[in-house]
């Protein structure tokens, strides 16, 4: 299981946010034992930073009984309640307010964590202080499964996108259903290979986007070099989408990340590479068409768990490397290994 310090870097790169020295210092001063503690500290820091610069305000539609006219008078409820003879009316008006869904979600997540028994007492105390710093206009909204797709459709960027990712991961791993004793459930998501595979892929891709300038970094849809008697049958072929493509005038690297417990599997009493992974990379190399003068290469990258692997082949005329990355070393070593992999 990877160390929490490494997990923090992976989350930051996956969510396109540079690691914060304050969170790193807190992690070193009071070593966290579970991912929830780390996520809580990240939420505390990100929300404090947002409050320091001030919550953005936008026009929100309000409806209230008022003595002075404002905006649009709602005649039906005003007459139905007999308000007009009293010199009052129901009015609908727009007002600048920080009471937006994302900040309501943050407030609701902070409130839920502040009473969560899996969160250490010191962090719960900090969460309580943070709740009191949030503007009174922001009405806490408890996290639900439906709110996250709705907020993602708004395409938040920067700090807002980071907060949304944080709240969603906290919700998925710590908040939804009560456990048998009535406590909020907690899942150490480092054991969830599907979730960690997605984070590992995004983190590696965004690391290369941010930390080097030699290559253009993107995901690429590769067209099959295929024909069919019925052209419409070509639509039945599966989509080939790379995890990460790194491209320069001289090189094109198809890099696939695989978050598996080991890069080798026993077969007939002998350790062998995982065949579907190799077949997938080989299919990419056989169907992509590099530009003139480009050398096409393939890399399969695994986190090192049981044993380190670093083997090289030439498959279909293209260099291929299968290699593991030691995620238990300090982050500077991980970063250096990633950069050396494509140097």
């Amino acid at each position: 299981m990877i160390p929490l310090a490494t997990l923090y870097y992976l989350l930051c790169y996956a969510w396109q946010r540079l690691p914060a020295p304050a969170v790193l210092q807190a992690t070193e001063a009071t070593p966290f034992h579970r991912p929830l503690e780390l996520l809580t500290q990240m939420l505390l820091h990100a929300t404090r930073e947002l409050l320091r610069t001030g919550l953005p305000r936008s026009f929100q539609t309000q409806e209230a009984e008022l003595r002075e006219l404002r905006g649009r008078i709602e005649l039906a409820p005003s007459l139905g309640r007999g308000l007009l003879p009293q010199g009052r009316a129901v009015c609908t008006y727009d007002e600048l307010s920080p009471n937006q869904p994302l900040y309501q979600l943050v407030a609701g997540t902070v409130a839920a964590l502040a009473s969560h028994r899996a969160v250490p007492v010191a962090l719960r105390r900090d969460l309580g202080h943070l709740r009191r710093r949030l503007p009174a206009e922001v009405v806490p909204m408890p996290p639900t499964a439906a709110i996250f797709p709705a907020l993602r459709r708004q395409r938040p960027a920067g700090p807002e996108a980071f907060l949304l990712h944080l709240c969603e991961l906290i919700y998925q791993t710590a908040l939804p259903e009560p456990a048998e004793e009535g406590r909020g459930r907690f899942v150490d998501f480092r054991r969830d290979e599907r979730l960690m595979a997605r984070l590992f892929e995004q983190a590696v891709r965004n690391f290369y986007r941010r930390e080097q300038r030699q290559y253009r970094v993107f995901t690429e849809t590769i067209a099959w070099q295929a024909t069919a008697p019925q052209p419409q049958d070509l639509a039945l072929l599966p989509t080939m989408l790379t995890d990460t493509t790194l491209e320069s005038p001289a090189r094109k690297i198809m890099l696939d990340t695989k978050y598996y417990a080991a890069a080798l599997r026993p077969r007939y009493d002998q350790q062998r590479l995982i065949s579907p992974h190799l077949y997938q990379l080989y299919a990419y190399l056989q169907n992509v068409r590099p530009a003139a003068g480009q050398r096409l290469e393939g890399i399969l990258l695994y986190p090192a768990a049981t044993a380190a692997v670093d083997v090289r082949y030439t498959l279909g005329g293209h260099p291929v490397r299968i290699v593991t990355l030691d995620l238990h070393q300090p982050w500077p070593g991980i970063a250096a290994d990633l950069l050396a992999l494509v140097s």
Side-chain angles (χ1 to χ4, degrees):
M1 193 173 296
I2 66 173
L4 288 178
T6 300
L7 178 63
Y8 175 57
Y9 279 98
L10 292 179
L11 289 171
C12 285
Y13 277 102
W15 296 339
Q16 303 188 63
R17 185 82 167 167
L18 283 177
V23 178
L24 291 170
Q25 290 168 7
T27 307
E28 294 169 358
T30 308
F32 299 135
H33 301 289
R34 291 177 291 191
L36 181 59
E37 299 168 23
L38 173 62
L39 294 177
T40 301
Q41 185 63 54
M42 293 171 69
L43 181 63
L44 282 166
H45 177 76
T47 307
R48 286 168 181 157
E49 285 295 299
L50 197 63
L51 289 173
R52 185 178 62 81
T53 57
L55 289 185
R57 294 173 177 264
S58 65
F59 282 103
Q60 306 289 316
T61 300
Q62 311 283 343
E63 183 177 289
E65 289 184 16
L66 301 175
R67 289 192 177 275
E68 64 281 354
L69 297 182
R70 187 175 180 185
R72 185 178 70 248
I73 298 176
E74 301 295 339
L75 284 176
S78 297
L79 294 171
R81 300 177 198 175
L83 298 176
L84 297 181
Q86 305 173 35
R88 300 173 64 85
V90 175
C91 298
T92 300
Y93 57 93
D94 290 334
E95 185 174 61
L96 277 174
S97 170
N99 191 38
Q100 301 173 46
L102 176 59
Y103 307 130
Q104 292 177 307
L105 171 66
V106 171
T109 303
V110 168
L113 289 175
S115 59
H116 199 300
R117 296 185 182 182
V119 177
V121 173
L123 285 176
R124 277 187 273 165
R125 189 182 304 118
D126 290 341
L127 289 162
H129 293 157
L130 184 62
R131 285 176 64 187
R132 291 188 286 274
R133 286 185 58 195
L134 290 167
E137 310 100 285
V138 177
V139 180
M141 177 172 56
T144 63
I147 189 62
F148 296 103
L151 287 175
R152 279 197 299 271
R153 284 194 291 272
Q154 298 177 14
R155 298 186 179 277
E160 286 79 12
F162 186 75
L163 277 168
L164 179 58
H165 285 305
L166 262 176
C167 291
E168 185 168 19
L169 188 53
I170 290 169
Y171 168 77
Q172 290 174 344
T173 59
L175 297 182
E177 302 92 12
E180 292 180 3
E181 297 85 5
R183 303 177 187 175
R185 72 183 180 103
F186 169 73
V187 176
D188 189 334
F189 62 86
R190 290 174 295 177
R191 302 181 186 276
D192 185 335
E193 282 196 352
R194 181 175 298 180
L195 173 59
M196 288 302 300
R198 187 167 70 250
L199 288 174
F200 186 50
E201 173 193 330
Q202 293 172 344
V204 169
R205 182 168 58 248
N206 289 333
F207 173 86
Y208 284 124
R209 282 175 173 159
R210 184 177 287 272
E211 303 298 342
Q212 59 79 42
R213 293 293 178 267
Q214 182 180 356
Y215 302 97
R216 183 170 70 99
V217 181
F218 57 101
T219 60
E220 180 179 11
T221 301
I222 300 172
W224 289 89
Q225 302 301 314
T227 59
Q230 301 296 325
Q232 64 270 24
D233 292 345
L234 294 174
L236 301 177
L237 290 171
T239 300
M240 289 192 289
L241 180 67
T242 63
D243 290 349
T244 303
T245 296
L246 299 100
E247 186 174 45
S248 72
R251 299 173 72 187
K252 186 166 188 175
I253 303 171
M254 325 300 289
L255 190 153
D256 251 26
T257 51
K258 301 297 182 184
Y259 196 87
Y260 276 65
L264 302 174
R265 284 181 177 171
R267 184 171 177 81
Y268 304 123
D269 299 325
Q270 185 176 350
Q271 295 288 95
R272 296 187 184 276
L273 296 169
I274 301 174
S275 55
H277 299 171
L278 205 55
Y279 296 156
Q280 181 185 34
L281 183 61
Y282 184 74
Y284 292 169
L285 294 172
Q286 292 303 301
N287 286 277
V288 75
R289 290 295 178 259
Q294 275 185 335
R295 185 174 79 157
L296 186 60
E297 308 169 40
I299 297 175
L300 282 177
L301 180 64
Y302 296 83
T306 55
V309 173
D310 190 355
V311 293
R312 301 169 189 256
Y313 303 97
T314 298
L315 299 179
H318 306 295
V320 169
R321 185 177 180 184
I322 296 90
V323 62
T324 52
L325 177 66
D326 182 6
L327 296 180
H328 285 81
Q329 63 179 315
W331 181 259
I334 296 173
D337 287 349
L338 285 171
L339 292 174
L341 188 61
V342 298
S343 64

